[in-house]
Amino acid sequence: MSTTAASLRIGDVARLVGTTPRTIRYYEEKGLLPAGAGRAAGQHRLYGEGDVERLRELLRMRNLLGVPLEELRELVAVDDERAMLRSELHRTDAPAERERILHRLDALAERQLAAVDRRAGELDALRDEIAARRARIAELLAEPER
Amino acid sequence: MSTTAASLRIGDVARLVGTTPRTIRYYEEKGLLPAGAGRAAGQHRLYGEGDVERLRELLRMRNLLGVPLEELRELVAVDDERAMLRSELHRTDAPAERERILHRLDALAERQLAAVDRRAGELDALRDEIAARRARIAELLAEPER
DNA sequence: CTACAATCTGACGTTGACGTAAGGATTCAA
DNA sequence: TTGAATCCTTACGTCAACGTCAGATTGTAG
């Protein structure tokens, strides 16, 4: 049922996303990555393209938002619910049901957007302040007189 | 020579900026805040409005950029040089000197801008992605057919 | 002057996010 | 089947960024 075969090992994945095996195991331990359900203790972990994407998103958000992993987990929990709802959406044709799901999806996206948007706005403000300073300096350089 | 009298104590400052005395001492220890030059060991620290502003900027950048304090120190070192150059700028009328200083100021601002700008751009991209998802959901909600 | 809150300087404790090392098991190519 | 490379689990180590505690000291309202 997976889109891509799970044929990558932890070291490969680590190289692909630019991190270390230890970090991947740690994220699994903390519930940020699925625990690879059908895998007996001692066996090697196997990953697919989807897992790689997931991990990329995690690292990206960690870098951009700088939030603790705990908080990060909640954000991706939103993603998980999104995936669930989307597959649910594909299995139904009932219009009322579809609308209900879509509204829920929208609410989730809105929540995530709010978290990111606020940060982005603040950063933009900071950037603008610095840019304004540069502009003033450029002005002073342009007119050598008082 | 200070714009405002240094009459605030560490607890007051902490409340003003929303942090703790311990953090303020820690930042001083790490060279992010001046060590209050004329103060014998054991005496209470005293702060002015300028110090409060400085600390606010520090916390703001820490939150927005999520960089380690070490890196943060370099960023504010830029601010310090900026302050120095500005006062230098006020003390001279020699056009060549003024131009030299202004160019240096511009270089500093550019460096700071680069650091912030990249982050801001990435965050904007993330925000746009989420916003696009919302837009698609809205579309689906609008047209009940298909 | 006194009482009391706030601050001081060490120094040790804590938490998150991994790094590192040990001893053994798994994979896979040859 | 036999290595060599990689991986497994367990457990201790580390580093930044503070928290917390103790005992002494300082600032200030009454």
Side-chain angles (χ1 to χ4, degrees):
Chain A
M1 195 140 197
S2 54
T3 308
T4 310
S7 52
L8 297 168
R9 299 193 310 185
I10 199 169
D12 306 328
V13 175
R15 260 183 300 277
L16 280 175
V17 306
T19 184
T20 77
R22 167 64 187 172
T23 295
I24 297 180
R25 292 196 200 98
Y26 183 66
Y27 282 21
E28 175 184 324
E29 190 184 326
K30 292 299 171 182
L32 292 171
L33 293 173
R39 168 177 148 271
Q43 309 257 78
H44 291 188
R45 289 168 179 81
L46 289 182
Y47 301 91
E49 189 57 36
D51 300 308
V52 175
E53 269 321 296
R54 164 93 173 214
L55 186 49
R56 276 219 178 85
E57 265 310 284
L58 282 173
L59 296 173
R60 183 186 179 194
M61 295 224 179
R62 181 198 66 176
N63 290 336
L64 286 184
L65 303 182
V67 297
L69 292 193
E70 176 67 19
E71 209 171 312
L72 201 55
R73 184 171 57 183
E74 294 167 24
L75 280 180
V76 299
V78 166
D79 274 355
D80 292 347
E81 187 173 356
R82 189 161 72 91
M84 267 187 42
L85 286 176
R86 283 180 60 81
S87 76
E88 220 179 295
L89 192 63
H90 285 143
R91 278 200 304 275
T92 185
D93 284 333
E97 185 69 358
R98 286 179 61 88
E99 195 180 324
R100 191 188 61 79
I101 295 179
L102 282 174
H103 270 115
R104 181 86 185 103
L105 278 175
D106 188 57
L108 288 178
E110 187 179 5
R111 240 195 80 191
Q112 230 180 12
L113 189 61
V116 175
D117 216 12
R118 195 166 151 282
R119 279 302 248 265
E122 289 171 2
L123 240 186
D124 277 356
L126 179 57
R127 189 194 56 187
D128 288 352
E129 283 176 32
I130 302 178
R133 285 213 310 256
R134 272 202 86 187
R136 276 197 44 223
I137 294 174
E139 256 180 65
L140 287 180
L141 273 171
E143 43 145 304
E145 12 274 313
R146 176 66 174 72
Chain B
M1 195 145 196
S2 55
T3 309
T4 310
S7 52
L8 298 168
R9 299 191 312 185
I10 198 169
D12 307 328
V13 175
R15 260 183 302 276
L16 281 175
V17 307
T19 184
T20 77
R22 168 64 194 180
T23 295
I24 298 179
R25 291 195 200 98
Y26 184 66
Y27 281 22
E28 175 184 324
E29 191 184 326
K30 292 298 172 182
L32 292 170
L33 293 173
R39 168 178 149 272
Q43 307 258 77
H44 291 189
R45 289 167 179 80
L46 289 182
Y47 301 92
E49 189 57 37
D51 301 308
V52 175
E53 270 320 297
R54 164 91 174 217
L55 186 49
R56 276 219 178 85
E57 266 309 286
L58 282 175
L59 296 174
R60 182 186 180 196
M61 295 224 179
R62 182 198 64 177
N63 290 336
L64 287 184
L65 302 183
V67 298
L69 293 192
E70 176 66 18
E71 209 171 313
L72 200 56
R73 184 170 58 182
E74 295 168 23
L75 280 179
V76 299
V78 166
D79 275 355
D80 291 348
E81 187 173 355
R82 190 162 72 90
M84 266 186 44
L85 285 176
R86 284 181 58 83
S87 76
E88 220 179 296
L89 192 63
H90 285 144
R91 278 200 305 276
T92 183
D93 282 335
E97 184 71 357
R98 286 180 60 89
E99 196 180 323
R100 191 187 61 80
I101 294 179
L102 282 173
H103 270 115
R104 181 88 185 102
L105 278 174
D106 187 57
L108 289 178
E110 188 180 3
R111 240 196 78 191
Q112 232 180 9
L113 188 61
V116 174
D117 216 10
R118 196 166 149 283
R119 281 301 251 268
E122 290 171 1
L123 239 186
D124 277 356
L126 179 57
R127 189 195 56 188
D128 289 351
E129 283 175 33
I130 301 177
R133 286 213 309 257
R134 272 202 85 187
R136 277 197 43 222
I137 293 174
E139 258 180 64
L140 287 180
L141 273 171
E143 41 146 306
E145 11 275 312
R146 178 65 205 49

